[in-house]
């Protein structure tokens, strides 16, 4: 038995805390960085290890890429020291990574577009950086319900373009939409200038797929999967089999992960309700005499 906790200091951490019954057996276990044998395991479970594994201990060029792209945030004010970046392409790969790290007490920093300004996705030390950038598939936009379903690594601008082609408006719009990812937007409960018109993500997100820290997959009102024929995700819990605008069958568990910043699990898929594309826009200019 275990429970999940996190340690937050300019970043998100995963740690499995043994129950009181087993605490004496695991009291000396602490989070650690990845070793050579861990990197070998990760290469074995990722479909394209040559592209999905960046090992900074291999060459200086790879280390420089990790430092420039993943170990620092947008402001460059916070600097991590991770040597390993994993870029999974499917939910089963994320599940295998988290399950292994949970069992071996390896620290993880989940990372989306890395557009934050406060170091929230920057590793503190030599944790594994889990980047979602290769999980970027848009599955569909239901023409009747307006629900768009996609991977967590989809760039926000891509979702805007896709929805507009279908006659819909994606209800989240922020300044970093050209590089930020929808999974990070959901995990930080991003707002944007559509907020007052269409509401926040707690209202527009109707479904979600999440991988918990021990590798279990939780599917909540999501009707697509990239692992339907894969036996790796054996511990999969599904709340509903369709992306419905209204689903009152039990607890609305997805709300726990919106704004959770990865402390309860990593978002892998999202279903968002999109309104019809407005036929016109009105612009108002307000001039104030003082602050």
């Amino acid at each position: 038995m275990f429970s999940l906790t996190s340690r937050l200091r300019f970043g998100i951490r995963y740690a499995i805390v043994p129950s009181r019954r087993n605490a004496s057996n695991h009291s000396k276990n602490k989070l650690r960085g990845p070793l050579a044998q861990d990197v070998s395991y990760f290469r074995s479970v990722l479909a394209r290890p040559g592209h999905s594994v960046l090992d900074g201990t291999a060459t200086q060029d790879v280390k420089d890429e990790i430092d420039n792209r993943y170990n620092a945030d947008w402001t460059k004010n916070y600097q991590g020291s991770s040597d390993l970046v994993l870029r999974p392409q499917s939910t089963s790969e994320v599940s295998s990574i988290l399950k292994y790290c949970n069992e071996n007490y390896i620290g993880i920093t989940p990372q989306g577009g890395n557009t934050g300004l406060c170091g929230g996705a920057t590793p503190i030390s030599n944790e594994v950086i889990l980047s979602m950038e290769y999980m970027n598939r848009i599955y569909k936009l239901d023409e009747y319900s307006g629900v768009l379903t996609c991977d967590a690594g989809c760039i926000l601008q891509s979702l805007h373009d896709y929805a507009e082609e279908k006659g819909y408006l994606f209800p989240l719009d922020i300044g970093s939409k050209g590089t930020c990812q929808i999974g990070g937007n959901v995990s930080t409960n991003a707002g944007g200038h559509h907020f007052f018109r269409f509401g926040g993500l707690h209202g527009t997100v109707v479904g979600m797929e999440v991988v918990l820290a021990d590798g279990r997959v939780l599917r909540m009102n999501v009707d697509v999967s990239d692992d339907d024929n894969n036996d790796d995700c054996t511990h999969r819990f599904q709340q509903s089999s369709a992306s419905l605008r209204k689903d009152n069958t039990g607890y609305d568990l997805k709300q726990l992960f919106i704004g959770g910043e990865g402390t309860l699990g990593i978002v892998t898929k999202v279903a968002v309700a999109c309104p019809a594309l407005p036929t016109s826009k009105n612009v108002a200019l307000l001039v104030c005499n003082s602050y």
Side-chain angles (χ1 to χ4, degrees):
M1 297 292 293
F2 59 84
S3 60
L4 176 66
T5 187
S6 64
R7 178 170 60 91
L8 176 62
R9 181 194 167 205
F10 305 128
I12 311 301
R13 302 293 171 266
Y14 286 108
I16 299 303
V17 180
S19 64
R20 294 181 180 178
R21 182 176 60 184
N22 299 323
S24 60
N25 297 329
H26 300 280
S27 60
K28 295 182 180 180
N29 287 328
K30 296 181 180 180
L31 290 179
R32 64 174 177 84
L35 304 176
Q37 62 265 29
D38 303 318
V39 177
S40 298
Y41 171 80
F42 295 136
R43 290 186 182 277
S44 71
V45 298
L46 295 175
R48 300 175 63 197
H51 295 82
S52 298
V53 178
L54 292 178
D55 184 5
T57 63
T59 66
Q60 186 60 44
D61 289 341
V62 176
K63 177 59 177 174
D64 291 342
E65 180 181 0
I66 293 176
D67 287 341
N68 293 331
R69 291 188 57 193
Y70 303 96
N71 267 327
D73 78 342
W74 192 262
T75 66
K76 305 300 181 184
N77 290 331
Y78 309 103
Q79 185 72 39
S81 56
S82 176
D83 288 327
L84 182 64
V85 178
L86 302 180
R87 300 182 289 190
Q89 295 179 284
S90 68
T91 300
S92 63
E93 291 184 356
V94 176
S95 175
S96 297
I97 292 169
L98 292 189
K99 183 176 186 296
Y100 181 87
C101 289
N102 171 54
E103 294 172 347
N104 292 276
Y105 282 77
I106 300 174
I108 291 179
T109 298
Q111 195 172 97
N114 201 23
T115 59
L117 303 177
C118 57
T122 305
I124 296 176
S125 55
N126 189 24
E127 302 95 325
V128 173
I129 296 177
L130 186 63
S131 173
M132 303 300 291
E133 62 187 295
Y134 282 178
M135 292 189 64
N136 53 14
R137 179 180 174 186
I138 302 176
Y139 293 93
K140 63 178 181 178
L141 194 157
D142 189 282
E143 61 179 307
Y144 298 107
S145 66
V147 174
L148 188 154
T149 307
C150 64
D151 281 340
C154 288
I155 301 297
L156 183 56
Q157 181 65 63
S158 300
L159 300 179
H160 275 267
D161 296 339
Y162 183 86
E164 186 174 352
E165 291 176 359
K166 305 289 185 179
Y168 287 88
L169 175 70
F170 199 80
L172 173 66
D173 194 356
I174 57 180
S176 59
K177 64 182 179 182
T179 48
C180 67
Q181 298 173 10
I182 186 61
N185 300 148
V186 171
S187 296
T188 57
N189 192 21
H193 65 262
H194 284 337
F195 180 89
F196 291 104
R197 175 63 180 86
F198 301 109
L201 291 173
H202 277 289
T204 56
V205 173
V206 299
M208 190 184 302
E209 181 185 77
V210 178
V211 181
L212 305 180
D214 60 354
R216 290 178 296 170
V217 179
L218 179 60
R219 301 187 69 198
M220 300 160 284
N221 199 27
V222 173
D223 61 349
V224 299
S225 173
D226 55 12
D227 295 309
D228 286 335
N229 298 317
N230 195 314
D231 294 330
D232 292 338
C233 291
T234 54
H235 299 287
R236 186 189 297 276
F237 300 88
Q238 184 154 314
Q239 233 183 344
S240 177
S241 60
S243 297
L244 307 172
R245 273 185 174 266
K246 181 178 186 294
D247 179 14
N248 58 358
T249 56
Y251 299 108
D252 193 6
L253 296 178
K254 67 179 181 295
Q255 301 296 340
L256 296 174
F257 300 93
I258 300 175
E261 299 191 39
T263 55
L264 297 178
I266 294 182
V267 178
T268 51
K269 288 179 179 57
V270 181
V272 181
C274 301
L277 194 66
T279 57
S280 63
K281 294 183 181 179
N282 295 320
V283 178
L285 176 63
L286 303 178
V287 180
C288 301
N289 292 326
S290 65
Y291 178 79

